[in-house]
Amino acid sequence: MLNIPCVIFAGGKSSRMGEDKALLPFAGFTTLSQFQYSRLSKIFTNVYISCKNKNKFSFDANYIEDKKVKNTFAPTLAFISIFEQLESDSFFAISVDSPFIDEETIIRLISSDTSTIDATVAITENKIQPLCGIYHRSLLPSFRQMLQNDNHKLSYLLKNSKTNYVTFKNDNTFLNLNHPHEYQKALRLITS
């Protein structure tokens, strides 16, 4: 079991999906969130779900609710809330809609991380995967500044920080369920 805390990001608007993707049924579980929480709890000692409101979930888990800031759905607010609630100097971030990121990928990222950098994230064919990697507390002032400036682009933060990019070749591992056709593809993949 990995001792670094794992945080599943499940507080987005899901505007491209047309419904809350964190609540979509998946792989025999009532929700994608529950699937992710269950499988990641077999890899990490401590798993948390970052969200706007924990009342939308119907299962027991460790929840970290975002601070209340009107009309803010960006992950910058989630990062601030997580660092303010966790005592750890770093944590592993993963999106709720990335159900195929496996233990091998996670271990490779953690093995590539050091305390002298701000973040270690996955990259595939020059596409940064910002919600698959380790973030350090050294970034908290930057997240606060970004929130104040209404700048919520994680790629901007990573480019302007000490970031270690770890290259992966298999894009299917990082399949994000942003649109209905991607959700249908994931349902086919998980059953095959």
Side-chain angles (χ1 to χ4, degrees):
M1 298 281 277
L2 301 172
N3 285 327
I4 186 172
C6 173
V7 181
I8 303 165
F9 281 68
K13 278 170 55 171
S14 302
S15 52
R16 291 173 284 182
M17 184 64 74
E19 59 185 302
D20 191 338
K21 55 189 166 188
L23 301 179
L24 292 170
F26 196 78
F29 286 83
T30 308
T31 65
L32 183 57
S33 303
Q34 193 172 12
F35 168 79
Q36 287 283 64
Y37 190 80
S38 174
R39 79 176 189 92
L40 292 164
S41 293
K42 294 173 186 150
I43 300 170
F44 293 90
T45 305
N46 296 298
V47 179
Y48 303 84
I49 296 178
S50 168
C51 59
K52 296 283 173 230
N53 184 344
K54 67 182 180 183
N55 294 330
K56 75 177 184 178
F57 301 101
S58 62
F59 62 97
D60 287 333
N62 299 312
Y63 295 100
I64 298 175
E65 290 183 308
D66 287 357
K67 293 167 56 173
K68 303 301 178 216
V69 175
K70 195 174 181 181
N71 296 326
T72 301
F73 283 89
T76 45
L77 180 60
F79 277 99
I80 294 167
S81 302
I82 292 161
F83 277 122
E84 288 180 353
Q85 291 184 53
L86 291 183
E87 292 182 6
S88 177
D89 282 330
S90 61
F91 67 89
F92 186 85
I94 187 168
S95 177
V96 72
D97 68 349
S98 300
F100 300 108
I101 294 171
D102 56 15
E103 186 171 5
E104 184 182 328
T105 301
I106 291 166
I107 289 172
R108 188 168 159 220
L109 283 162
I110 291 171
S111 300
S112 302
D113 189 55
T114 69
S115 60
T116 59
I117 56 177
D118 298 315
T120 297
V121 296
I123 189 169
T124 58
E125 294 195 19
N126 298 324
K127 185 175 190 299
I128 298 170
Q129 305 291 334
L131 284 181
C132 180
I134 299 104
Y135 285 80
H136 293 260
R137 187 172 295 277
S138 55
L139 289 169
L140 184 54
S142 298
F143 279 118
R144 287 185 173 134
Q145 189 65 52
M146 287 172 69
L147 184 63
Q148 188 177 338
N149 295 342
D150 201 24
N151 174 5
H152 305 290
K153 295 192 182 304
L154 289 178
S155 57
Y156 168 84
L157 171 81
L158 294 169
K159 286 175 187 168
N160 291 287
S161 303
K162 288 186 272 182
T163 303
N164 178 25
Y165 296 102
V166 181
T167 305
F168 293 89
K169 294 203 184 326
N170 187 354
D171 277 337
N172 273 341
T173 302
F174 299 93
L175 176 66
N176 284 96
L177 316 187
N178 289 317
H179 299 93
H181 72 274
E182 291 162 333
Y183 172 57
Q184 294 304 321
K185 179 180 180 181
L187 292 176
R188 289 191 300 273
L189 286 171
I190 202 76
T191 56
S192 62

